[in-house]
Amino acid sequence: VTVVVATDSDFGVLASAEVPIQLARRAESIAAAAVLGYGEPLFWGLADRGLAYGPALIERVQAAIVEADADLVLAPSPAEVHPDHRVLAMAAAEALRRCGGERRLLLYEVGVPLQPNLLVDITAVWPDKREAMRAFTSQLATRAYDRFVEALNRYRAYTLTAEVEAAEAFFSVSAAQLAATGARSLPALS
């Protein structure tokens, strides 16, 4: 697993100015990675709320996919409210289209529910996810994001079997689908 944190979190707010937000968020991401059991994320340090869709970002995402030899790429949904999430979704889709092969893109929801074509039972790992979310103290100090995520994951279990307590929703699309139909392969943005 290779995780990329694309932006520097410069627009984040800390209750205390003792630690710059960028360093705090980096430490939180590393702590969450330790809980979930993957290596330290890659930090690109791009400007928060400054991601621009274009060749530079697409090529950087494509290079990361190739370097990791990724067959599965996860990115936020293009329907998300945050502008960086939308830009990263589109850049990931184009990068994956260019990479081709048997790769798949899973678009995930953060703050805007998407029309999924894949639900994944996360009941067994739900305690780990909750613990990892608690690592993001700077974000939890401003909003109860953990409660929102829990509500969404519990809602996503609604159509699954009774023993499923939590699920994550994705929109799955293949590199071949992206090559054939481009952005029309992605979920509607409205």
Side-chain angles (χ1 to χ4, degrees), residues 2 42 61-70 103:
T2 300
L42 301 175
V61 173
Q62 184 178 0
I65 292 169
V66 170
E67 184 172 325
D69 193 25
R103 294 175 172 92

Side-chain angles (χ1 to χ4, degrees), residues 80-98:
E80 285 297 323
V81 173
H82 196 294
D84 290 342
H85 293 182
R86 292 192 309 264
V87 167
L88 197 53
M90 299 307 291
E94 177 57 20
L96 194 79
R97 183 193 70 76
R98 291 178 183 186

Side-chain angles (χ1 to χ4, degrees), residues 141-157:
T142 61
R143 301 266 333 243
Y145 292 107
D146 55 341
R147 288 193 359 238
F148 299 134
V149 170
E150 181 170 359
L152 187 57
N153 290 160
R154 291 203 182 275
Y155 165 73
R156 287 304 186 185

Side-chain angles (χ1 to χ4, degrees), residues 112-130:
V112 176
L114 57 75
Q115 189 76 28
N117 59 10
L118 176 64
L119 294 173
V120 176
D121 176 3
I122 63 165
T123 305
V125 296
W126 180 237
D128 297 329
K129 182 174 180 177
R130 268 191 261 155

Side-chain angles (χ1 to χ4, degrees), residues 3 10 125 135 161 164:
V3 173
D10 197 38
V125 296
T161 58
V164 177

Side-chain angles (χ1 to χ4, degrees), residues 3-138:
V3 173
V4 174
V5 178
T7 62
D8 64 7
S9 303
D10 197 38
F11 270 83
V13 177
L14 275 179
S16 164
E18 294 173 16
V19 177
I21 187 67
Q22 300 91 339
L23 296 178
R25 293 274 175 91
R26 181 180 287 240
E28 292 166 356
S29 294
I30 292 168
V35 169
L36 296 175
Y38 59 85
E40 186 172 313
L42 301 175
F43 295 95
W44 286 356
L46 301 173
D48 197 10
R49 294 195 176 264
L51 285 187
Y53 181 82
L57 183 60
I58 294 165
E59 290 166 10
R60 188 154 190 191
V61 173
Q62 184 178 0
I65 292 169
V66 170
E67 184 172 325
D69 193 25
D71 59 352
L72 185 63
V73 176
L74 281 79
S77 162
E80 285 297 323
V81 173
H82 196 294
D84 290 342
H85 293 182
R86 292 192 309 264
V87 167
L88 197 53
M90 299 307 291
E94 177 57 20
L96 194 79
R97 183 193 70 76
R98 291 178 183 186
C99 286
E102 298 297 315
R103 294 175 172 92
R104 294 200 71 75
L105 175 64
L106 293 184
L107 298 168
Y108 57 85
E109 52 196 7
V110 179
V112 176
L114 57 75
Q115 189 76 28
N117 59 10
L118 176 64
L119 294 173
V120 176
D121 176 3
I122 63 165
T123 305
V125 296
W126 180 237
D128 297 329
K129 182 174 180 177
R130 268 191 261 155
E131 186 180 344
M133 286 189 303
R134 283 194 290 268
F136 293 95
T137 56
S138 67

Side-chain angles (χ1 to χ4, degrees), residues 179-190:
T181 60
R184 292 189 312 268
S185 301
L186 303 177
L189 301 180
S190 58

